[in-house]
């Protein structure tokens, strides 16, 4: 489960798509860029491969709820 999930627009003009995301997973902090098409670019370290699909799914759900609602 993701903890302390945060996001904010990449650009001051909120019409431009893209958000920075930050969260913790198993006591490890991860940062990335969430693009409008759902692609995620990890800015530092990438989550473990065995958990990556689960993490991406949770991020997509959170972004749909908070941004595209």
């Amino acid at each position: 489960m993701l903890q302390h999930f945060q996001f904010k627009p990449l650009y001051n003009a909120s019409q431009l798509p893209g958000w920075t995301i930050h969260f913790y997973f198993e006591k490890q902090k991860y940062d990335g860029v969430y693009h409008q098409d759902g692609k995620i670019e990890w800015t530092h370290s990438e989550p473990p491969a065995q958990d990556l699909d689960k993490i991406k799914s949770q991020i997509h759900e959170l972004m749909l709820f908070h941004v595209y609602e």
Side-chain angles (χ1 to χ4, degrees):
M1 178 198 285
L2 305 182
Q3 297 179 336
H4 304 290
F5 182 80
Q6 298 177 350
F7 68 95
K8 63 181 177 177
L10 277 174
Y11 309 101
N12 288 334
S14 60
Q15 286 89 8
L16 295 173
W19 299 266
T20 59
I21 57 172
H22 312 279
F23 63 92
Y24 286 86
F25 179 76
E26 295 184 357
K27 299 181 183 179
Q28 177 70 37
K29 184 178 182 193
Y30 296 100
D31 303 299
V33 176
Y34 186 89
H35 296 278
Q36 183 181 17
D37 63 359
K39 181 181 172 194
I40 300 171
E41 288 182 49
W42 304 106
T43 53
H44 291 100
S45 60
E46 188 171 306
Q50 69 268 19
D51 297 316
L52 197 54
D53 288 338
K54 177 173 65 172
I55 289 171
K56 285 181 178 181
S57 176
Q58 290 178 23
I59 291 171
H60 292 312
E61 286 181 33
L62 287 165
M63 293 302 288
L64 284 171
F65 180 76
H66 289 293
V67 175
Y68 293 109
E69 176 175 82

